[in-house]
Amino acid sequence: MFSQLIQNLIDDTLKYSLGYFEAELWLCATIVALLLFRLISVDRLIPTSILALTGAIVATVVAWFQLTTTDGSETFFTGMLIHDQFSVYFRLFLSLFLALTIALTILTGIPDNEDSPDFYALLLGATVGMMIMATANNLLMLFIGVEMASVPSYAMVGFLKGRRASSEAALKYVVYGAGAAGVMLYGISLIAGMLGTGDMSLLADRLRIVADNGVAGLGDPEVRLVALGTMLVMVGLAFKLSLVPFHFWCPDAFEGASAEVGGFLSVASKAGAFGLLVRFLVAFSGDPSGAELMTAFGIGLGVVAMVTMTFGNLAAYGQSNIKRMLAYSTIAHAGYMLMAVSAMLVMQNSAHAGDLGQEINACLGGLLYYLAVYLFMNLGAFAVVALIRNYTFSEEIDSYAGLIRQSPALCVCMVFCMISLVGIPPFGGFFAKLMIFGSVYKAGDFHWSMYVLLAVGIVNTVISLFYYLRVLKTMIIYDRPADARAVRLPNLENVYVGLLGAFVLLLGCAPFIADGLNVIAGEAAGSIFSAIVTSR
Amino acid sequence: MNPTVLLSLIIFAPAIGALLLAFMDGRAVSLLRNFTLAITIITFALTLMLANQFNYGESGIQFEVVRNWIPSWNVYYRVGVDGISLPLVLLTTLVSMLAAVASWSINKLHKGYFILFLLLESGMLGVFLSLDFFLFYVFWEVMLLPMYFLIGIWGGPRKEYAAIKFFLFTLVGSVLMLIAMLMLYFTTGGQQHSFNLIELAKVAAGGSEHLTSGLTPKMQITAFVLLFIGFAIKIPAVPFHTWLPDAHVEAPTPISMILAGVLLKMGGYGIIRIAFPLCPYGAYCAAWFLVAIGVISIIYGAFAALAQTDFKRLVAYSSVSHMGYVLIGLAVWKIAEGQTVNPDMWNMGINGAMFQMLAHGISSSGMFFMVGVIYDRVHHRNLNEFGGLMGKMPVYSGLSVGIFFAGLGLPGMCGFIGEVFVVLSTWNFNPALAIVAASGVILTAGYILWALQRVYLGSEYKGPHAEEITPITPRESAVGYILLTLAILLGVFPGIVFSIMNGSVTELVDHMQAGYDHAATLLDQQLQAMR
């Protein structure tokens, strides 16, 4: 009997599930290789960074092939994880980003040879965790994914071991992270305990069963408990997304960590958390019984989005350290992206949800597009910071004065990234923002607060102009002081930042690239909803 | 040349030039200058070819090119030209060419300057030629960044303040435009949402075969207000004008020429091409308001100009005043019993407004250039420290006086025609407003004549750097002669321009009437339903 169970499990895992887990497996294999090679001194022959880069590229290629072959949605590992276009999109996104980050670390020379196996093992491990976040189909995996992504991140933030600020940042991050994880775990236990399952695809059905008369209202103690649990889980995710008021770790962690790690955390960890947030919330929505509750959640997220972006933009204004400024900028951008989730919830739980398939899809498509553009523009900005740091040993905005005269390519890339972050065409950031604003506008038909959200988003776009432009002004309009250290990049580094800048531009205006990504993002978004429809 | 290729070539020729410039040696200054000038001349020649192939008897869009751009969002690369955009395209390439000649005075970071200059030209041409709202918006914003840096790097002492102010004002305007764009996009239906300006205009008049629209007359008013604020900032109409004196004064001479000569026209063009046809009912409801703003702009701008002691600031405020006529001319739309009162008069008003845009493009870029010429020599612009230039620089002074007279609106020069047409059509709208608008001419005469007196007349030059006053160079005088010739030519033969745009303007007037009728029907239906 028991052996039969084990046999079934092994069969399921080997013959079925592992195939879907291919990209993650490559990364895991690379981690093992990284650590083992040091033992037998192979790392003298093959640089560790090259090995890590190869692993990331292989994972990217595997994910790319999955993108073309995936159709429909299937759960694997006995329902723990889910495989659909949405999962694959995140897999591709994260592994591509990983490859780009590793390439950056090769160029900037952080970490040194001695530490690099540790560093890359952490980096790859965190990425696997983020992929699990985006593919989670069970509350348990939700928690494991978040922790797998978080724990290596803590270590990476503190990786500059000699620096006090770095250790302090890591400590802050750990304490906050541990607190958030505890709260989230409590929330998970409330939900799982009340609804009797951890399987996310069953949550909406169970909620209807639990609720009196099939309408989940807050007057019902059981529903109240589930709502409380949901909120607690969202606290944990809000910590990962650095939403106000759970953002306090973010500026300190970014300032203390090296720019490469900052870039990685700002994009990848945010992407994983958004993937998870969407999966978690979609699991609850779409059923008429929970409509009212989830609409309230949608509006609540809208309010959080408003506060987050306003706070992020206003706080960024006063920063003199560029990494701190970028940290507040990522907070603000989390707010913009959250707008899409908010609009999605409001539309999906409105009375007309049946006719709105395309629009709901567009919300999520906009979010995915935003993430993709954000990858290039934010990594570009952090890459510029890291490269300049290697020459000037400074991360103060003032030390960037007049850089256009010494390294124009770097400055042009920075212009592209910053202006794209503001959201001005012809750069990708504009198109992504337009898609999200469009979704929020559409959601305004179903609840007036969405118009307020849109207005706040627009005002924030204007506010954000100031601090992004201040960096550009310093770099381009001011003269370089005579005693400043020269920044003259070798060609390879110019090519790297040039490539990132080019993608920021192409995603905003190139016919096939922008459209192609939009179509892929749309399909990925669609897969998550079609799965819901077929399972009900 | 094949017209479809021609349009895209006109838009992108400067951008290609900018790309080539990026690979040139930054120290070969004269090569960079001449190359840029050559590119602008080629672009101008291309627009002349366009004007040559243009069919003046036809009123609709010509040479329309449609290509897929981002089909998943129904965004197309759609360009074309009609009688309203063609004169402005010609003006753009002309002013750019002259500004390139004026760019000899730029004395640092030449390569960056010329790259940004050419990108700016591409953006401007794109705005005038695009027929897709999304494309229009992209080009509209593409100009922002080059302009920011052109003012911010090569500008005067308060350049950073002026540059950020320009950027901020325009960005506020464009995000408002963005909301209106979303409104229009999401309310259209039928086969799909659309950004197509031509179809969006047709659907507003209830005559589209491909689209349906859920834009209620009430929403039209909202959309119109959003669009109007966006464009009014660019025109600039009081009270959105405060960026203009700063930007114009701090910008280097060639950029001031482009700002005054072309960028301000985008506001007017946006109203004619987008705000009016897409929201006819909104335009009708706001007509009174628009005319009032126009009149206030004229009077306010003129008084402000009178009070200036900085020569360039005076010219800047004169722009606020002159662009007021454009706003009035467009908005003198009066409806009684469902029919436009005297549609011919309104037609004349729009024609006048268009003409005024061209005239102002020529005269004000000329005025800024003339101010720049003297500033390059004496390095100050204080009106009270000039005088006696007529004796020291006779050719320059003659050209300046001519161009300033064109700005003043002297009969026989270009400024006159536009103002007369506008004021006449305003009489039909409201005689009292017409009288106020006309009295603006007296104030204009006041500040221009007073300025001429202080700068060019008098017995001797009173300011600093008297020893550096040298006669005008052939390069500079060429710009002056070209602008003065055009100013006189358009003043004597205004028919050249009217023949280009008359058909399109008439169509616009008919379209607006149809749009009003359509909205009125919708409102009637609403009322019926409520009963």
Side-chain angles (χ1 to χ4, degrees):
Chain A
M1 182 65 192
F2 187 65
S3 65
Q4 180 70 34
L5 197 66
I6 296 290
Q7 190 55 46
N8 280 347
L9 199 60
I10 289 173
D11 281 352
D12 175 72
T13 304
L14 289 182
K15 292 183 183 149
Y16 175 71
S17 301
L18 281 181
Y20 292 136
F21 208 56
E22 209 181 333
E24 286 90 334
L25 279 184
W26 276 106
L27 292 183
C28 295
T30 314
I31 296 173
V32 175
L34 283 172
L35 296 175
L36 280 183
F37 281 7
R38 182 160 55 173
L39 290 182
I40 52 173
S41 294
V42 180
D43 61 333
R44 304 266 160 83
L45 292 169
I46 318 166
T48 323
S49 51
I50 298 296
L51 185 63
L53 185 62
T54 317
I57 289 174
V58 171
T60 313
V61 173
V62 167
W64 178 258
F65 279 110
Q66 283 184 340
L67 192 69
T68 50
T69 54
T70 304
D71 194 22
S73 99
E74 281 167 273
T75 58
F76 59 104
F77 285 134
T78 63
M80 285 290 159
L81 297 178
I82 188 163
H83 180 85
D84 54 16
Q85 285 279 10
F86 188 79
S87 314
V88 178
Y89 184 89
F90 273 94
R91 231 173 249 152
L92 179 61
F93 172 90
L94 288 167
S95 47
L96 175 67
F97 181 61
L98 179 65
L100 287 171
T101 309
I102 295 174
L104 175 65
T105 59
I106 294 173
L107 291 176
T108 58
I110 280 197
D112 56 27
N113 276 338
E114 191 58 32
D115 289 333
S116 54
D118 301 336
F119 182 83
Y120 290 118
L122 291 170
L123 197 65
L124 267 64
T127 311
V128 173
M130 288 157 194
M131 288 178 176
I132 290 178
M133 282 164 84
T135 48
N137 191 40
N138 192 301
L139 293 176
L140 207 56
M141 293 314 289
L142 182 153
F143 185 73
I144 291 176
V146 169
E147 284 307 291
M148 249 186 99
S150 297
V151 175
S153 309
Y154 304 147
M156 280 194 291
V157 167
F159 208 80
L160 300 173
K161 282 168 293 196
R163 284 183 54 207
R164 208 188 140 92
S166 182
S167 313
E168 185 190 323
L171 186 66
K172 266 187 187 154
Y173 194 16
V174 172
V175 173
Y176 266 101
V183 170
M184 185 160 71
L185 199 55
Y186 184 44
I188 290 173
S189 62
L190 285 183
I191 298 173
M194 190 47 69
L195 300 181
T197 180
D199 192 336
M200 295 214 281
S201 56
L202 300 175
L203 292 181
D205 283 340
R206 293 291 172 92
L207 184 64
R208 189 180 56 221
I209 297 167
V210 164
D212 297 336
N213 310 324
V215 177
L218 281 180
D220 191 346
E222 286 89 357
V223 175
R224 207 152 51 200
L225 213 55
V226 174
L228 182 65
T230 314
M231 257 189 267
L232 293 181
V233 172
M234 285 213 268
V235 167
L237 293 177
F239 158 77
K240 289 255 69 160
L241 292 171
S242 64
L243 300 176
V244 176
F246 306 102
H247 65 282
F248 292 102
W249 61 275
C250 183
D252 292 330
F254 278 41
E255 193 184 0
S258 64
E260 296 85 343
V261 173
F264 179 77
L265 288 183
S266 72
V267 177
S269 125
K270 196 153 281 173
F274 264 114
L276 189 51
L277 181 71
V278 167
R279 283 212 187 274
F280 181 65
L281 290 172
V282 165
F284 275 108
S285 359
D287 194 281
S289 65
E292 209 176 313
L293 189 67
M294 293 317 287
T295 308
F297 266 116
I299 295 165
L301 283 182
V303 174
V304 173
M306 285 189 238
V307 176
T308 303
M309 58 195 168
T310 312
F311 176 84
N313 281 327
L314 290 181
Y317 185 59
Q319 304 305 324
S320 60
N321 180 298
I322 183 120
K323 282 197 303 197
R324 246 186 129 71
M325 190 211 92
L326 285 172
Y328 281 111
S329 135
T330 63
I331 295 176
H333 280 270
Y336 294 134
M337 289 185 245
L338 196 64
M339 284 169 80
V341 182
S342 165
M344 179 190 82
L345 279 183
V346 167
M347 282 206 262
Q348 210 190 356
N349 293 292
S350 71
H352 307 282
D355 311 327
L356 286 173
Q358 211 182 342
E359 280 79 12
I360 296 171
N361 218 338
C363 294
L364 203 44
L367 172 65
L368 296 182
Y369 197 96
Y370 204 115
L371 281 171
V373 176
Y374 191 65
L375 184 167
F376 290 105
M377 58 192 184
N378 221 34
L379 180 66
F382 273 103
V384 170
V385 173
L387 292 170
I388 293 177
R389 175 206 61 208
N390 276 5
Y391 292 88
T392 64
F393 309 108
S394 170
E395 282 160 350
E396 295 300 309
I397 296 177
D398 291 342
S399 72
Y400 287 10
L403 275 180
I404 185 86
R405 285 154 188 81
Q406 294 180 348
S407 41
L410 203 68
C411 291
V412 170
C413 170
M414 198 64 160
V415 169
F416 283 17
C417 295
M418 290 280 154
I419 293 303
S420 179
L421 283 166
V422 182
I424 290 177
F427 301 106
F430 162 70
F431 194 48
K433 221 171 207 172
L434 176 77
M435 289 163 87
I436 289 185
F437 283 1
S439 302
V440 176
Y441 173 80
K442 193 72 201 159
D445 290 351
F446 306 100
H447 199 278
W448 58 267
S449 66
M450 292 294 115
Y451 287 132
V452 180
L453 181 58
L454 180 64
V456 174
I458 296 253
V459 170
N460 267 289
T461 304
V462 177
I463 301 178
S464 70
L465 175 72
F466 280 104
Y467 62 88
Y468 291 123
L469 215 51
R470 189 158 62 97
V471 179
L472 302 183
K473 187 174 79 178
T474 312
M475 287 178 110
I476 292 172
I477 295 184
Y478 292 163
D479 287 321
R480 188 111 183 111
D483 56 346
R485 287 170 197 270
V487 177
R488 295 191 194 284
L489 294 188
N491 282 333
L492 201 58
E493 301 183 359
N494 275 331
V495 168
Y496 181 78
V497 291
L499 202 67
L500 292 178
F503 265 99
V504 172
L505 179 64
L506 290 177
L507 285 175
C509 64
F512 299 105
I513 298 175
D515 191 53
L517 178 64
N518 193 18
V519 170
I520 292 172
E523 280 172 8
S527 73
I528 196 169
F529 294 117
S530 60
I532 298 287
V533 173
T534 49
S535 76
R536 296 244 159 87
Chain B
M1 194 187 291
N2 182 354
T4 54
V5 183
L6 187 60
L7 279 183
S8 301
L9 199 59
I10 288 173
I11 297 177
F12 292 109
I16 295 167
L19 194 68
L20 293 177
L21 270 180
F23 295 104
M24 289 187 186
D25 182 4
R27 282 161 298 185
V29 175
S30 73
L31 174 68
L32 295 174
R33 281 175 181 156
N34 288 317
F35 181 78
T36 309
L37 180 61
I39 293 284
T40 53
I41 291 175
I42 291 171
T43 319
F44 181 58
L46 289 172
T47 49
L48 286 181
M49 278 170 68
L50 182 72
N52 189 33
Q53 295 183 9
F54 189 80
N55 181 355
Y56 295 90
E58 215 178 300
S59 61
I61 298 290
Q62 300 185 25
F63 314 136
E64 190 175 345
V65 182
V66 186
R67 293 281 180 280
N68 270 347
W69 185 15
I70 308 174
S72 52
W73 254 74
N74 306 319
V75 172
Y76 295 89
Y77 173 78
R78 187 190 301 273
V79 292
V81 65
D82 72 351
I84 292 171
S85 52
L86 181 63
L88 291 169
V89 170
L90 285 166
L91 178 73
T92 306
T93 49
L94 175 77
V95 172
S96 299
M97 186 174 75
L98 297 178
V101 178
S103 297
W104 256 249
S105 60
I106 295 298
N107 53 16
K108 62 172 181 180
L109 293 172
H110 299 85
K111 187 165 144 181
Y113 173 84
F114 286 113
I115 290 177
L116 291 172
F117 181 92
L118 288 176
L119 287 179
L120 180 70
E121 191 184 357
S122 259
M124 296 187 297
L125 289 167
V127 166
F128 288 130
L129 289 173
S130 50
L131 295 176
D132 187 281
F133 205 162
F134 190 94
L135 187 67
F136 177 90
Y137 190 85
V138 168
F139 279 124
W140 180 275
E141 299 275 283
V142 162
M143 296 176 321
L144 271 181
L145 208 58
M147 195 43 112
Y148 171 77
F149 286 122
L150 285 169
I151 299 175
I153 301 179
W154 292 274
R158 289 167 68 238
K159 56 191 181 182
E160 286 165 33
Y161 172 74
I164 187 96
K165 199 167 174 184
F166 165 80
F167 204 143
L168 185 69
F169 269 71
T170 319
L171 188 67
V172 169
S174 35
V175 292
L176 294 180
M177 197 178 6
L178 184 74
I179 303 180
M181 189 164 111
L182 288 173
M183 281 176 79
L184 289 161
Y185 179 75
F186 279 110
T187 45
T188 53
Q191 289 147 339
Q192 58 197 19
H193 297 321
S194 175
F195 282 118
N196 182 349
L197 286 177
I198 306 301
E199 284 297 320
L200 283 173
K202 276 188 191 159
V203 78
S208 171
E209 293 147 19
H210 308 291
L211 288 180
T212 58
S213 175
L215 197 71
T216 59
K218 226 176 182 178
M219 287 166 80
Q220 262 197 31
I221 299 178
T222 318
F224 182 82
V225 169
L226 292 170
L227 289 171
F228 175 72
I229 295 177
F231 295 131
I233 289 173
K234 208 68 170 194
I235 284 184
V238 177
F240 307 112
H241 68 287
T242 53
W243 64 270
L244 179 133
D246 289 312
H248 279 50
V249 170
E250 297 307 321
T253 304
I255 302 309
S256 296
M257 289 171 71
I258 289 185
L259 266 171
V262 184
L263 254 71
L264 304 191
K265 310 303 169 293
M266 288 178 182
Y269 177 75
I271 291 178
I272 299 184
R273 171 67 72 216
I274 296 178
F276 267 37
L278 268 55
C279 314
Y281 184 75
Y284 166 70
C285 292
W288 249 102
F289 187 65
L290 263 57
V291 175
I293 287 186
V295 171
I296 293 171
S297 296
I298 293 177
I299 302 298
Y300 176 87
F303 271 119
L306 266 174
Q308 302 307 320
T309 55
D310 184 316
F311 200 3
K312 211 169 175 184
R313 233 179 152 78
L314 177 138
V315 179
Y317 273 109
S318 83
S319 288
V320 177
S321 178
H322 283 139
M323 292 303 284
Y325 287 101
V326 175
L327 204 51
I328 300 182
L330 293 178
V332 286
W333 183 19
K334 196 162 152 188
I335 285 186
E337 289 157 7
Q339 286 300 317
T340 305
V341 178
N342 264 339
D344 288 347
M345 290 303 274
W346 187 31
N347 191 331
M348 190 164 114
I350 298 181
N351 268 317
M354 280 294 300
F355 196 91
Q356 174 72 2
M357 288 211 273
L358 294 177
H360 178 256
I362 290 168
S363 65
S364 80
S365 54
M367 288 196 274
F368 274 116
F369 179 70
M370 289 306 168
V371 175
V373 169
I374 188 67
Y375 181 74
D376 286 344
R377 287 170 174 68
V378 298
H379 308 292
H380 81 93
R381 292 189 300 257
N382 188 347
L383 278 171
N384 295 322
E385 294 188 352
F386 286 117
L389 289 185
M390 195 64 96
K392 292 192 168 184
M393 302 172 73
V395 179
Y396 163 70
S397 302
L399 285 170
S400 302
V401 170
I403 286 173
F404 274 84
F405 276 159
L408 185 155
L410 200 69
M413 303 188 83
C414 60
F416 176 69
I417 310 287
E419 286 175 16
V420 163
F421 269 50
V422 168
V423 171
L424 283 180
S425 62
T426 318
W427 186 269
N428 173 50
F429 186 75
N430 182 315
L433 285 176
I435 293 170
V436 180
S439 66
V441 178
I442 302 171
L443 293 173
T444 312
Y447 65 77
I448 286 194
L449 290 176
W450 192 27
L452 290 180
Q453 182 200 335
R454 282 185 286 176
V455 176
Y456 301 104
L457 306 182
S459 52
E460 57 174 347
Y461 176 75
K462 297 188 283 274
H465 303 291
E467 67 290 351
E468 286 175 37
I469 298 181
T470 49
I472 191 167
T473 64
R475 175 183 64 80
E476 290 164 336
S477 61
V479 176
Y481 278 121
I482 293 175
L483 286 171
L484 186 61
T485 314
L486 280 169
I488 295 172
L489 193 68
L490 290 185
V492 180
F493 301 108
I496 311 172
V497 180
F498 285 131
S499 69
I500 304 178
M501 58 199 186
N502 201 15
S504 299
V505 171
T506 312
E507 197 190 54
L508 178 70
V509 169
D510 294 344
H511 167 84
M512 295 297 282
Q513 174 66 44
Y516 175 81
D517 293 345
H518 182 60
T521 336
L522 287 176
L523 283 174
D524 272 353
Q525 283 169 0
Q526 255 179 8
L527 273 177
Q528 299 281 347
M530 275 163 72
R531 286 196 196 116

